[in-house]
Amino acid sequence: MPIPTVPIHSRFEVSFTLPGAPAKNPFDFRETDVVARVETPAGVVRVPAFYDGPAKDGSPLWRVRVTPTIPGAHTLTITRNRRAIPAPRIVSGVLTFRAVASRLPGFVTRDPAHRQRFLRAGRPLYPLGLNQAWRSDRDPPYPETFAKMKKAGCDWARLWCDHFYESKNLEWSPNKPPLGTYDLVAARRWDTIFEAAAASGVMIQMCLQHHGQYSTRVNPNWNDNPYNIKNGGFLTRPEDFFTDPHAIALTEQKYRYMAARWGYAPHLFAWELFNEVQFTDRTPERWQVVGGWHARMAAFLRRHDPNRHLITTSSDDDEKNPIFAACDYTQDHRYTDDIEATLRSLRAAGRRKAFFVGEWGASGDGRSAEILRRGLWTGLMTDHAAAPMWWAWDFVDPAGPTDRYAAFARAAAFIRAARLSERTETRQVSVAILGGDRTANLVLGPPGGWGKHTRARFVIPADGSAPDLTGLSSFFQGNNKRDMMPDAPEFDVDFPSSGGGGTATIHLGQIARLGARIEVFVDGRQVLAETFPATTSDTTASRPFTVPIPAGRHTLRIASTGPDWFVVRQIALSPYAPTLTATARAGGGFAALYVQQRRSGTSSGKTGDVRLRVPGITPGRYAVTWWDIDRQRPLLSRAVVLADKQGLTLLAPPSFSQDVAVFAERQGAS
């Protein structure tokens, strides 16, 4: 019988049964550790096998999945508890194959030369995609979804091991498997998902746990958790999940099974240990404990995953948090009314690891094509390791004949044309807007969610460059949590001299039920005060608050002096800014910008003699391509512009209706 050939980076699978008495629990690797010892041209690799139900004769059926990464002969020896099985009964497949070269993409890794970037098969990778966490009755099946994503140029999706709707949770499903065993219907559902993802070129970030499972306060599912002692489990409190020896053993057992069943997959982008772990019970009080759990589980997966997929988790953006210590990259989730300011504030500079936004959207349930467009294109011009990953998949692909994947197709076209994935040397820079009138509104959106204010003074540039609002939370804390906002935030503003000054309009969101009070000062003089009385539940502010500010330089101070917090959604300065705003990334011999008309309601679309100065690039001659986002093609013929030590200065197109992109590459640069 000829030895079969297997393309590199494709799946080779053998199914078999074992002699002797069956295991009491074939899912428990500590009882029955079945592993394939694979001899390759580069040495020996241990690949765990997994139990997949009974064979036709009723005996336990095992499978092992191997993905060759180098050409040459590969020979498998099946072992049980580290002892070779001389004669396993092969149900399908063979134990020897020859790997041959292929053009299939390989595994995702960190870029050793650029620690904040990814590689795939040795080539720079810049993922583009969105969340596809679960399927409700209204959502299309995953194979259809992935096909649409492929057509739009997307290559990344984030899926949860959820227990609701179709159930992709091995332990927690309508079939209610006994603890320590798994629902094979759910496991085979994941098999189908991985096969569909491979067919469409979509990489999966597989979220293994989500916060609600171990929370009694945020999206709580604890009352239904099979680990809950009230449901026949063994945990009396959700927070014990991170320390209870039995919970740790069961979690490791489950992760070993997952590594055996899906660790073969090059299109598995990463294991995500937790979604928003900060919302599990008592986690903010004991980060070291939860960080220790993350370190243990990351080390466990790396021991048992033969292909050492990337590992991450999600929580508040703080790379120094112990939960991220053992992760390959970090991610944050953001929901805010000013998504552009938020994305710009999350700079990669100074980080030790790759970072990107794994979920985002407008605050509350605000969803629109405009928000999706502005956030996605702003994100492309940051120095994050991937595009920002939109959460609301049901908005992109609602029930009905139409969808909104065109928004991603437009971004993918620009990524290809500008070769963004290759621009590993670029960093986010501030663009100065030169010329034109300062007649537009400048809208400031606090980028932080619930958390401590880490800065209290902010300079708001008058030249149109993006202000740095890092450290500003949208929750303005009152006296109950004064340690989270020791000082009232101050904003140094500079209103145009023409027109006699302007106004600052403060848009509030939620107000705590215990009551709050806002006080606003200009140059130390109080100009506004409003008290919000205590109520039975959190309320929403009924109106914005506007204060006058004279022309020139002044300090605006917003204080929270009542019992509890209020949320600042936006601060609008009017008139304040140039009619254009831009977000840019630049470095070496390349720059890319996303240029927008400010949303003031008075713009004519004409830019006149407005110029944009981009710093941080090598002097020389640059070929400049202005890009029509909607038509996915150059807007103007390529022009040659000279960059000096101050940067690259571009004359804006004569007119455009909403936004435009541009990239510039130094001539003669590799």
Side-chain angles (χ1 to χ4, degrees):
M1 180 178 178
I3 296 176
T5 58
V6 177
I8 288 175
H9 298 139
S10 67
R11 186 180 80 187
F12 175 80
E13 181 172 314
V14 181
S15 62
F16 54 91
T17 62
L18 300 175
K24 294 180 181 179
N25 181 7
F27 294 107
D28 186 355
F29 75 98
R30 293 180 174 90
E31 176 189 345
T32 305
D33 186 15
V34 181
V35 172
R37 184 177 181 273
V38 185
E39 295 182 44
T40 80
V44 175
V45 179
R46 287 172 51 85
V47 180
F50 62 92
Y51 171 68
D52 198 28
K56 289 183 179 180
D57 64 359
S59 57
L61 181 68
W62 295 84
R63 298 184 189 275
V64 64
R65 292 170 174 171
V66 178
T67 300
T69 59
I70 57 174
H74 290 61
T75 301
L76 282 67
T77 300
I78 305 301
T79 69
R80 177 171 54 195
N81 298 334
R82 292 191 173 270
R83 294 183 177 181
I85 303 296
R89 186 174 72 84
I90 303 301
V91 177
S92 64
V94 294
L95 295 178
T96 300
F97 67 89
R98 179 172 295 278
V100 296
S102 79
R103 306 181 93 180
L104 295 173
F107 293 92
V108 179
T109 63
R110 297 167 66 178
D111 185 344
H114 304 92
R115 63 186 182 182
Q116 296 172 347
R117 306 293 187 212
F118 301 118
L119 294 177
R120 193 174 191 193
R123 297 174 60 86
L125 174 67
Y126 182 77
L128 170 70
L130 69 158
N131 285 262
Q132 301 284 358
W134 59 77
R135 302 289 86 175
S136 72
D137 295 338
R138 300 182 300 276
D139 296 321
Y142 279 115
E144 180 181 333
T145 293
F146 294 156
K148 290 181 179 180
M149 292 180 65
K150 178 182 180 180
K151 185 177 180 181
C154 295
D155 59 5
W156 183 98
R158 178 170 175 262
L159 279 68
W160 287 18
C161 294
D162 59 292
H163 62 276
F164 29 80
Y165 294 118
E166 83 284 19
S167 181
K168 302 193 298 297
N169 192 299
L170 300 182
E171 302 172 291
W172 188 346
S173 73
N175 294 329
K176 297 184 177 180
L179 288 179
T181 68
Y182 306 130
D183 183 355
L184 291 176
V185 174
R188 290 164 186 156
R189 184 172 289 126
W190 273 109
D191 288 344
T192 301
I193 289 170
F194 273 101
E195 290 164 4
S200 295
V202 173
M203 300 172 292
I204 294 175
Q205 182 169 298
M206 189 176 187
C207 185
L208 308 184
Q209 314 278 167
H210 63 88
H211 61 282
Q213 295 170 330
Y214 296 97
S215 177
T216 58
R217 56 190 182 86
V218 181
N219 311 123
N221 303 137
W222 171 244
N223 287 339
D224 301 319
N225 193 319
Y227 284 19
N228 189 331
I229 197 169
K230 295 179 180 179
N231 300 322
F234 53 92
L235 295 181
T236 57
R237 304 178 305 173
E239 59 264 36
D240 293 338
F241 171 75
F242 296 104
T243 55
D244 182 87
H246 190 32
I248 289 172
L250 286 179
T251 303
E252 289 181 338
Q253 177 187 307
K254 179 175 66 173
Y255 289 0
R256 158 61 185 256
Y257 187 86
M258 290 176 160
R261 190 154 193 148
W262 302 299
Y264 77 90
H267 43 284
L268 173 60
F269 184 85
W271 308 106
E272 181 179 352
L273 296 176
F274 242 101
N275 170 75
E276 298 180 357
V277 70
Q278 75 270 27
F279 294 132
T280 58
D281 278 15
R282 292 192 60 212
T283 288
E285 305 169 23
R286 47 184 209 147
W287 280 118
Q288 290 295 336
V289 171
V290 178
W293 180 92
H294 277 75
R296 176 169 181 156
M297 293 304 160
F300 181 88
L301 275 170
R302 290 190 175 105
R303 284 198 306 273
H304 293 276
D305 177 356
N307 295 299
R308 293 180 66 88
H309 290 84
L310 299 179
I311 295 174
T312 190
T313 194
S314 62
S315 183
D316 297 320
D317 177 39
D318 181 1
E319 193 182 59
K320 297 179 182 179
N321 189 314
I323 65 169
F324 291 123
C327 292
D328 292 297
Y329 64 95
T330 66
Q331 52 173 332
D332 192 13
H333 298 169
R334 291 298 175 111
Y335 294 88
T336 174
D337 289 303
D338 190 350
I339 192 62
E340 296 107 315
T342 298
L343 291 172
R344 287 192 295 260
S345 73
L346 299 171
R347 292 179 178 253
R351 296 178 187 265
R352 295 176 292 108
K353 300 178 181 181
F355 165 84
F356 63 88
V357 176
E359 282 186 26
W360 69 275
S363 60
D365 194 37
R367 301 186 289 182
S368 72
E370 181 190 4
I371 291 170
L372 173 58
R373 179 181 181 117
R374 289 192 281 110
L376 184 56
W377 279 86
T378 298
L380 295 185
M381 304 307 166
T382 65
D383 46 12
H384 302 169
M389 305 304 183
W390 176 259
W391 167 254
W393 64 91
D394 57 335
F395 174 79
V396 172
D397 196 3
T402 60
D403 62 56
R404 297 183 176 91
Y405 280 109
F408 297 89
R410 297 183 190 108
F414 183 81
I415 291 171
R416 290 191 300 269
R419 306 202 317 274
L420 279 191
S421 63
E422 303 172 24
R423 313 301 183 176
T424 54
E425 302 290 347
T426 56
R427 289 290 179 265
Q428 183 180 327
V429 296
S430 296
V431 180
I433 309 297
L434 310 175
D437 297 325
R438 293 176 58 193
T439 57
N441 297 346
L442 178 64
V443 179
L444 310 176
W450 180 270
K452 185 175 182 179
H453 290 244
T454 58
R455 290 171 59 202
R457 198 171 191 93
F458 304 89
V459 177
I460 312 303
D463 64 359
S465 58
D468 179 9
L469 301 180
T470 304
L472 180 65
S473 168
S474 58
F475 286 80
F476 279 47
Q477 299 290 345
N479 297 325
N480 288 351
K481 291 186 172 63
R482 183 55 64 207
D483 61 314
M484 295 181 68
M485 195 179 82
D487 301 305
E490 295 184 341
F491 305 87
D492 293 333
V493 298
D494 186 359
F495 275 80
S497 56
S498 60
T503 60
T505 300
I506 304 163
H507 297 263
L508 301 186
Q510 281 185 301
I511 299 169
R513 63 182 179 84
L514 295 180
R517 177 177 170 85
I518 182 174
E519 297 184 12
V520 181
F521 301 81
V522 175
D523 298 332
R525 182 176 63 87
Q526 187 180 86
V527 294
L528 183 144
E530 183 83 10
T531 298
F532 306 100
T535 57
T536 56
S537 61
D538 296 347
T539 58
T540 301
S542 60
R543 63 181 179 86
F545 299 91
T546 300
V547 299
I549 300 180
R553 297 181 179 180
H554 302 277
T555 298
L556 173 70
R557 182 169 180 259
I558 303 175
S560 175
T561 58
D564 216 342
W565 52 263
F566 56 81
V567 170
V568 175
R569 296 176 57 193
Q570 293 181 345
I571 305 167
L573 307 179
S574 178
Y576 194 89
T579 56
L580 297 186
T581 182
T583 307
R585 58 192 292 183
F590 178 81
L593 295 81
Y594 174 52
V595 185
Q596 299 168 266
Q597 297 277 1
R598 290 193 187 273
R599 301 185 305 280
S600 62
T602 60
S603 174
S604 65
K606 297 180 180 180
T607 60
D609 61 350
V610 177
R611 291 162 292 138
L612 303 96
R613 179 174 292 162
V614 186
I617 61 174
T618 304
R621 295 169 60 84
Y622 281 76
V624 178
T625 302
W626 288 92
W627 188 262
D628 187 318
I629 292 174
D630 291 308
R631 296 183 180 181
Q632 303 177 32
R633 66 187 187 191
L635 176 67
L636 298 174
S637 58
R638 287 162 61 93
V640 177
V641 176
L642 186 65
D644 56 23
K645 293 182 179 180
Q646 291 184 312
L648 180 69
T649 302
L650 303 173
L651 183 65
S655 65
F656 56 93
S657 60
Q658 179 182 359
D659 52 14
V660 67
V662 59
F663 63 92
E665 189 166 16
R666 188 163 65 93
Q667 291 188 319
S670 58

